[in-house]
Amino acid sequence: MPQVALLQAHYFDVKGVFRADFPDNPPKAFNYTGAPLTANLFTVKGTRLSRIAFNSTVELVIQDTNLLSVESHPFHLHGFNFFVVGTGIGNFDPAKDPTKYNLVDPPERNTIGVPTGGWAAIRFRADNPGVWFFHCHLELHTGWGLKTAFLVEDGPGKDQAVRPPPKDLPQC
């Protein structure tokens, strides 16, 4: 875990706290819900965020895996509500599954239970600048790395930017 808060590091441009290069796709594709994986995925420790332009529409597919065991993960996004546009069992198929999305009246949430051995697709408008935590709500799982954050850039207007911390903000 970083020793400096991510929002503080962003606002004051503190170098070395995080990298804004979280991959848009898994670096190594595999059968996420198949037989338990024994291959080395060459994971690395570090704090990597996704940088998102202000007012972008973000679509995120959250895929359950069988790395340790399949189970439902309640993922929560701070700073935004999102629309659940699709869910399914098995591996998400980017060629077929989006054709089944509910784009007419999707439910609005801030937490989604990713189905056991399945996936959930969400969409939100990134219109709230700052650094926003996205994580599994099972506390043990955040320690395993089921967490990241989105760095939403400032917008063009003065009311569309991260505000400075208050003068009396206590030091950590």
Side-chain angles (χ1 to χ4, degrees):
M1 293 293 292
Q3 299 302 307
V4 176
L6 300 176
L7 181 58
Q8 182 180 7
H10 167 61
Y11 186 81
F12 291 109
D13 199 26
V14 178
K15 304 294 185 206
V17 176
F18 64 82
R19 292 176 18 200
D21 64 348
F22 192 89
D24 288 337
N25 293 293
K28 182 173 176 63
F30 60 94
N31 182 358
Y32 306 108
T33 59
L37 186 69
T38 57
N40 184 343
L41 295 178
F42 302 101
T43 57
V44 294
K45 283 190 175 186
T47 304
R48 298 171 72 185
L49 314 183
S50 294
R51 183 179 298 275
I52 301 171
F54 180 81
N55 220 26
S56 296
T57 299
V58 177
E59 179 175 311
L60 181 65
V61 176
I62 312 143
Q63 174 72 61
D64 186 33
T65 68
N66 193 17
L67 291 177
L68 296 173
S69 68
V70 291
E71 87 180 90
S72 177
H73 296 279
F75 267 87
H76 174 68
L77 177 60
H78 292 239
F80 301 93
N81 282 350
F82 53 76
F83 294 98
V84 180
V85 295
T87 60
I89 301 301
N91 295 323
F92 177 78
D93 183 339
K96 295 180 184 172
D97 289 327
T99 64
K100 299 178 257 178
Y101 281 180
N102 173 6
L103 302 177
V104 176
D105 61 350
E108 185 176 4
R109 303 280 185 268
N110 64 26
T111 304
I112 177 68
V114 178
T116 302
W119 55 271
I122 64 172
R123 286 186 182 174
F124 67 95
R125 172 83 55 184
D127 58 0
N128 189 5
V131 178
W132 301 104
F133 196 36
F134 180 64
H135 61 99
C136 180
H137 243 241
L138 300 175
E139 186 177 2
L140 178 65
H141 294 182
T142 60
W144 293 349
L146 287 178
K147 62 186 173 200
T148 190
F150 298 109
L151 191 166
V152 178
E153 297 174 336
D154 289 346
K158 76 172 193 160
D159 291 336
Q160 299 170 330
V162 174
R163 294 185 174 194
K167 301 275 188 230
D168 62 348
L169 181 69
Q171 295 295 311
C172 292

